[in-house]
Amino acid sequence: GIQTEFYAHELASIVVWIGFLQWKHEHLIKEDREPVLEKLNNIEHGDAILRYDAEGKPFEPEWQPAEFIIGNPPFLGDKKMRSELNVEPHPVYVDDLRNLYDGRVPGGADLVTYWFEKARHQIESGDAKRAGLLATNSISMVRNRPVLERIKSSGNIFMAWSDRPWLLEGAAVR
């Protein structure tokens, strides 16, 4: 996994450990060891789609090979990307991102499409078998559609819902 927020990164590690401990309990695997939880090195603390080297030059981070890619990438439309992402220490983050993915993700695409492209590439290169990613209905809009077309040209989309109710009480999301 890859997580930018420090506390979310730490929480993700704990959730993985709890899931593992539950699995062991359900399969009657008894193991007494200390500590019960250990530091996981397979969840990175960093940006999944753009990083900067020591000289401040942008680069596309490599994703580790994984059988399945599952994620809930951030939903941020093209119009809000500059105001939300162009902050210190990288005030030209959006331009760097668009230049880095030029030819693969359209310039006016939503932020979520970069995860779809990265996952597509992992599958095409054999570093993953399948991906399951969440997106809003804007993923099918004209400015984002080329990313879906690239997925279809190199693989397939086997399950998608165009409209699905959000099950959180009070949320006005579909």
Side-chain angles (χ1 to χ4, degrees):
I2 305 171
Q3 180 54 254
T4 57
E5 297 294 328
F6 174 76
Y7 289 112
H9 169 262
E10 296 298 308
L11 184 59
S13 296
I14 291 169
V15 168
V16 168
W17 267 113
I18 290 171
F20 177 62
L21 294 173
Q22 286 177 328
W23 178 86
K24 285 174 51 176
H25 177 75
E26 290 169 3
H27 291 85
L28 305 174
I29 298 171
K30 187 121 175 124
E31 181 181 324
D32 295 323
R33 62 185 204 143
E34 294 289 332
V36 174
L37 305 179
E38 295 176 9
K39 181 86 172 143
L40 295 178
N41 295 323
N42 57 349
I43 300 177
E44 290 181 48
H45 180 225
D47 190 321
I49 57 172
L50 172 66
R51 295 193 186 160
Y52 292 88
D53 65 17
E55 286 81 41
K57 183 180 176 190
F59 70 93
E60 182 178 345
E62 293 291 324
W63 285 7
Q64 295 298 313
E67 194 169 347
F68 302 104
I69 298 168
I70 300 169
N72 184 7
F75 309 142
L76 192 57
D78 171 53
K79 303 284 188 269
K80 289 192 172 189
M81 285 175 64
R82 288 190 191 281
S83 63
E84 296 288 326
L85 301 176
N86 283 352
V87 295
E88 292 299 331
H90 307 291
V92 292
Y93 181 96
V94 175
D95 289 334
D96 290 341
L97 183 67
R98 290 181 176 158
N99 289 333
L100 201 59
Y101 289 84
D102 187 38
R104 298 184 310 168
V105 176
D110 292 350
L111 185 61
V112 71
T113 60
Y114 293 88
W115 275 261
F116 278 71
E117 168 55 25
K118 289 281 292 180
R120 183 208 64 77
H121 176 73
Q122 289 291 105
I123 293 167
E124 182 182 51
S125 67
D127 288 330
K129 290 183 181 177
R130 295 190 186 234
L133 299 171
L134 294 176
T136 64
N137 63 356
S138 70
I139 192 74
S140 64
M141 302 286 183
V142 171
R143 66 186 177 275
N144 299 322
R145 188 166 295 276
V147 174
L148 298 179
E149 291 167 357
R150 281 179 59 83
I151 292 170
K152 289 292 291 175
S153 71
S154 66
N156 203 358
I157 298 172
F158 67 91
M159 188 180 298
W161 295 276
S162 63
D163 190 20
R164 186 94 175 152
W166 191 257
L167 301 178
L168 183 61
E169 190 175 326
V173 177
R174 287 190 72 78

